[in-house]
């Protein structure tokens, strides 16, 4: 089977490639950008895509939706540090076949991918636990990555995406992706509401 890994961290790409090569049933292709894999799958048969959520050229949520619209039979599994219930839900709503957190052990990663290939909804154990938690009517404080915290603080200080990118040494597209993910995590309609919620909950 042809399997594509999309992640902008070379160490993650190499680690996943090494792990999946041991399984023996995949021909593996690696990509650091979502747009590149979209071009590739238009011209080449790809059975499975392992897709990170935060990429330098956009959101894996959007890339998942595009892949499933163009090639509905392609299996798309999210593999990410993003552990927010709302992010996972949205990925699955966009057609994702499964979701793995990057802290899953190697055997579990292989198992989840095989579950997805068999047609089962494939979730790593921690993702299952997140999805099974009762949803309360109260606002649950989202778990933010270190980079998201940095972007949030910079937004609260009134910096533009260009300024934030220069300050954190990341691209403007990456900053915009973090902005979208923060809006999603905080269920905020705009940046003003985002900062308001974060301030009220003493996150900034």
């Amino acid at each position: 089977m042809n399997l594509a890994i999309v992640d902008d961290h070379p160490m993650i790409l190499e680690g996943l490639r090494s792990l999946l090569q041991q399984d023996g049933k995949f021909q593996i292709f690696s990509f650091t950008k979502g747009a590149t894999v979209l071009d590739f799958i238009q011209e080449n048969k790809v059975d499975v895509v392992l897709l990170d959520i935060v990429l330098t050229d956009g959101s894996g949520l959007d890339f998942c939706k595009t892949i499933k619209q163009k090639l509905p039979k392609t299996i798309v599994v999210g593999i990410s540090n993003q552990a927010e219930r709302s992010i996972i839900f949205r990925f699955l709503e966009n057609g994702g076949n499964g979701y793995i957190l990057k802290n899953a052990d190697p055997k579990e990663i292989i198992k989840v991918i095989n579950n997805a290939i068999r047609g089962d909804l494939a979730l790593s154990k921690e993702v299952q636990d997140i999805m099974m938690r009762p949803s309360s009517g109260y606002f649950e404080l989202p778990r933010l990555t270190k980079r998201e915290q940095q972007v949030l603080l910079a937004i609260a200080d009134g910096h533009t995406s260009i300024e934030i990118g220069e300050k954190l040494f990341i691209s403007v597209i990456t900053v915009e992706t973090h902005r979208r993910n923060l809006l999603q995590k905080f269920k905020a309609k705009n940046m003003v509401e985002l900062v308001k919620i974060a301030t009220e909950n003493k996150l900034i």
Side-chain angles (χ1 to χ4, degrees):
M1 301 184 77
N2 290 340
L3 183 146
I5 309 168
V6 193
D7 196 297
D8 54 10
H9 292 89
M11 279 181 60
I12 299 287
L13 275 181
E14 191 52 45
L16 286 170
R17 171 185 279 278
S18 176
L19 170 65
L20 293 166
Q21 279 175 336
Q22 293 173 28
D23 194 64
K25 68 163 157 291
F26 300 113
Q27 182 173 1
I28 300 163
F29 304 89
S30 303
F31 302 90
T32 56
K33 295 183 182 297
T36 313
V37 80
L38 287 180
D39 291 339
F40 184 80
I41 64 176
Q42 297 280 24
E43 305 293 332
N44 303 273
K45 182 179 183 293
V46 173
D47 303 289
V48 183
V49 178
L50 284 188
L51 183 62
D52 193 10
I53 302 302
V54 179
L55 295 163
T56 54
D57 65 334
S59 169
L61 299 172
D62 298 329
F63 287 125
C64 174
K65 190 172 186 178
T66 303
I67 291 168
K68 296 300 282 192
Q69 285 172 343
K70 292 178 183 296
L71 298 161
K73 291 184 180 177
T74 301
I75 295 162
V76 184
V77 178
I79 183 156
S80 177
N81 290 320
Q82 300 288 325
E84 291 307 310
R85 185 176 179 149
S86 58
I87 298 278
I88 299 166
F89 261 120
R90 192 166 153 213
F91 185 83
L92 298 175
E93 283 172 358
N94 286 358
N97 301 86
Y99 200 98
I100 304 166
L101 291 182
K102 286 181 180 176
N103 61 1
D105 67 53
K107 285 183 180 177
E108 186 176 21
I109 291 171
I110 295 286
K111 181 182 176 185
V112 172
I113 293 169
N114 285 328
N115 285 348
I117 291 168
R118 283 200 304 270
D120 301 331
L121 181 61
L123 306 172
S124 63
K125 179 67 173 65
E126 191 175 345
V127 173
Q128 290 178 34
D129 294 341
I130 292 166
M131 301 296 275
M132 292 297 287
R133 281 181 209 148
S135 181
S136 67
Y138 299 100
F139 178 72
E140 287 182 51
L141 283 179
R143 286 164 56 180
L144 302 181
T145 64
K146 184 181 177 183
R147 182 67 83 199
E148 285 169 342
Q149 289 171 341
Q150 292 171 332
V151 171
L152 178 59
L153 284 170
I155 291 168
D157 287 339
H159 294 295
T160 65
S161 291
I162 292 172
E163 290 169 341
I164 295 170
E166 289 173 351
K167 182 181 177 183
L168 300 179
F169 305 103
I170 56 178
S171 71
V172 174
I173 294 172
T174 301
V175 176
E176 291 296 331
T177 299
H178 285 307
R179 280 179 177 268
R180 285 196 299 272
N181 284 340
L182 285 166
L183 287 173
Q184 176 75 20
K185 285 186 173 187
F186 282 90
K187 300 181 176 63
K189 298 183 186 69
N190 51 48
M191 290 298 150
V192 174
E193 188 177 355
L194 170 66
V195 172
K196 181 174 178 285
I197 295 168
T199 304
E200 287 171 352
N201 288 280
K202 297 181 173 56
L203 293 176
I204 51 178

